[in-house]
Amino acid sequence: MFAVKRILVPVDYSDVSSAALSAAIQLADRHDAKIFVLHVQKDLDKALQRRIVTNPNESLLEKGIASDEMEIMKAVELEYQRAETEGKFLKHVEIEAHVSGGEWTEVILQMIADEEIDLVICGTHGPKGLKGLFLGTTADQLVAKASCSVWVVKPTGYPYLRD
């Protein structure tokens, strides 16, 4: 039997990532799983490197990271409120918020390995332009490279109370 104990949800604060977060919370409720919510900022690593060189005591980036972590937790609470509005009372599972810099797929693959993730639930916006048609979406790339199962949530989302 497939056991889900550690779920990773990458978010970009879009409706699609909210749907993925909703699915993760519902699944975690059923399996007593822990959720890792990850927001990847592409240029965060470069900004940190510049800060270390130019002004190592500046706290602006740390405040930005803390703000992103708070946004993640607000998104989580919003999904709990939405479920409650629909009459579904979900238990609050353990959730860790992470903010990282780097390339989306590589950061997620590293987190899968580091945290021994069982399942990634991510949204997809669909292919963008010719590059997307030929190379696939970032979700497609994650499905191909991940060492665990990946559940891709379509833009139409995941409705509450669906069994």
Side-chain angles (χ1 to χ4, degrees):
M1 182 173 166
F2 181 69
V4 178
K5 292 297 175 192
R6 301 170 76 78
I7 302 170
L8 173 60
V9 183
V11 296
D12 62 3
Y13 308 116
S14 67
D15 289 342
V16 176
S17 68
S18 293
L21 187 55
S22 166
I25 290 169
Q26 292 176 68
L27 193 63
D29 175 71
R30 290 183 182 149
H31 292 268
D32 291 319
K34 179 177 181 178
I35 300 174
F36 297 82
V37 185
L38 172 66
H39 176 65
V40 179
Q41 295 181 12
K42 185 176 182 178
D43 295 326
L44 182 62
D45 289 346
K46 294 175 188 172
L48 284 171
Q49 289 172 354
R50 279 193 307 273
R51 194 210 85 194
I52 290 169
V53 172
T54 59
N55 192 357
N57 296 321
E58 182 184 0
S59 63
L60 188 60
L61 284 173
E62 286 85 358
K63 287 179 183 175
I65 292 169
S67 175
D68 276 342
E69 289 172 345
M70 287 179 57
E71 285 299 314
I72 288 171
M73 296 314 290
K74 283 181 189 176
V76 167
E77 282 307 311
L78 179 61
E79 292 310 315
Y80 275 109
Q81 289 171 3
R82 287 178 178 167
E84 192 173 312
T85 299
E86 294 292 326
K88 179 78 170 174
F89 298 94
L90 304 169
K91 63 182 165 245
H92 285 258
V93 297
E94 185 178 355
I95 295 178
E96 265 187 40
H98 293 266
V99 177
S100 180
E103 194 277 316
W104 190 85
T105 306
E106 296 307 317
V107 172
I108 292 170
L109 292 173
Q110 187 62 53
M111 192 161 189
I112 289 169
D114 292 348
E115 299 295 342
E116 299 176 352
I117 299 296
D118 300 312
L119 176 66
V120 177
I121 302 177
C122 66
T124 182
H125 297 283
K128 303 278 191 232
L130 287 176
K131 183 179 176 184
L133 288 173
F134 288 111
L135 299 177
T137 66
T138 50
D140 292 334
Q141 294 170 18
L142 182 61
V143 168
K145 295 178 181 179
S147 60
C148 66
S149 295
V150 179
W151 178 2
V152 180
V153 178
K154 292 182 177 184
T156 54
Y158 185 80
Y160 288 99
L161 306 175
R162 187 162 125 192
D163 290 320

